[in-house]
Amino acid sequence: MRINIFIIYKLLFIWMFSLNLYSQEIVKDLIYNPYLDFNVNKKTHESKSALSLPFIDDFSYAKSFPDTILWKNRSVFVNRNYAINPITIGVATFDGLDKYGRAYDMSYTGLESRNADTLTSQKIDLSTSDTIYFMFYYQAQGIGNDPQISDSIILDFSSGIDSNGNVIWNTVWRKEGTVLHEFKKHVLISSDSNYLTNEFQFRFRNLATVSG
């Protein structure tokens, strides 16, 4: 099973202005993405039954949200612009903006990173497998500013449902904020029977500056 996930923690834009023949470039955290706001209401197909292997996505399609045949939520930004030397032409950007392209909490002034974007797979039938092979690529920063040390990208696997009907998530990998680097490949191989069910799911999520 091969999965290419490309990650950029936070994004920037440059604001330029002029007054009395004086000019200055200012670099600020992105607090609004109008492209997402424009496209958020576009309807897409959602899978109703468990998917079968292989599960592959390289985000090379020309839309700003993840394919809902494969994915459940839409908070990440699918694009072709924010990565540096990507493996394929598409990436999924994890940042501090919600699915509408707005900051999760513009009033937050704390220094601690908080839960931001989540990318959760549809259910996948692994009941006939004895081992799963999971691969993805990731990059910090991209063309944005470097993530803070408290920022993280996290991968969780599901291992069933609790007594309240909620999915049980186990963290199987995480990476704290780092400076820019080329895309890195990470591989997970597991034969844990808790994951080899007919309703397996995985999710990527990030901790970020939620004010932008």
Side-chain angles (χ1 to χ4, degrees):
M1 176 170 63
R2 174 176 177 175
I3 302 172
N4 298 340
I5 305 291
F6 308 112
I7 294 132
I8 305 168
Y9 295 107
K10 296 191 293 184
L11 311 178
L12 300 178
F13 74 102
I14 296 176
W15 174 31
M16 301 182 66
F17 66 95
S18 179
L19 179 63
N20 294 332
L21 301 181
Y22 172 79
S23 65
Q24 180 179 357
E25 294 183 356
I26 295 181
V27 180
K28 300 180 64 178
D29 286 341
L30 183 66
I31 60 173
Y32 180 61
N33 186 339
Y35 187 79
L36 283 180
D37 189 40
F38 177 78
N39 287 279
V40 71
N41 292 318
K42 290 186 176 181
K43 294 182 179 180
T44 52
H45 173 75
E46 183 172 349
S47 176
K48 301 300 182 181
S49 58
L51 303 173
S52 58
L53 297 179
F55 182 107
I56 301 173
D57 198 356
D58 63 2
F59 303 104
S60 60
Y61 34 83
K63 56 185 177 181
S64 56
F65 295 102
D67 186 347
T68 52
I69 294 177
L70 301 176
W71 308 101
K72 291 182 64 66
N73 33 32
R74 307 176 69 183
S75 58
V76 299
F77 178 36
V78 174
N79 65 89
R80 301 179 179 183
N81 304 312
Y82 290 122
I84 296 177
N85 299 325
I87 306 302
T88 66
I89 63 173
V91 299
T93 296
F94 289 72
D95 52 31
L97 306 179
D98 63 18
K99 67 179 181 179
Y100 299 101
R102 303 185 181 96
Y104 281 98
D105 186 359
M106 289 184 62
S107 64
Y108 181 66
T109 58
L111 300 177
E112 182 180 355
S113 298
R114 292 186 170 184
N115 289 316
D117 291 344
T118 302
L119 181 63
T120 306
S121 74
Q122 299 285 358
K123 294 177 181 178
I124 307 169
D125 186 358
L126 301 182
S127 59
T128 60
S129 303
D130 55 17
T131 302
I132 55 172
Y133 178 90
F134 188 99
M135 183 178 73
F136 60 94
Y137 291 85
Y138 67 98
Q139 180 185 69
Q141 184 174 342
I143 66 169
N145 63 314
D146 57 309
Q148 305 302 308
I149 190 64
S150 59
D151 294 344
S152 294
I153 188 74
I154 301 166
L155 172 61
D156 299 325
F157 283 177
S158 68
S159 60
I161 305 295
D162 65 19
S163 57
N164 296 318
N166 299 314
V167 177
I168 301 171
W169 293 105
N170 303 316
T171 296
V172 295
W173 176 87
R174 71 182 294 157
K175 185 69 176 179
E176 286 72 28
T178 63
V179 296
L180 174 67
H181 56 72
E182 293 293 326
F183 276 96
K184 295 181 179 180
K185 180 171 70 174
H186 189 78
V187 176
L188 289 169
I189 301 175
S190 177
S191 56
D192 190 332
S193 60
N194 289 316
Y195 304 139
L196 303 179
T197 71
N198 61 354
E199 294 187 337
F200 171 78
Q201 289 178 275
F202 68 91
R203 69 180 182 186
F204 285 90
R205 55 190 174 93
N206 73 320
L207 302 179
T209 303
V210 294
S211 57

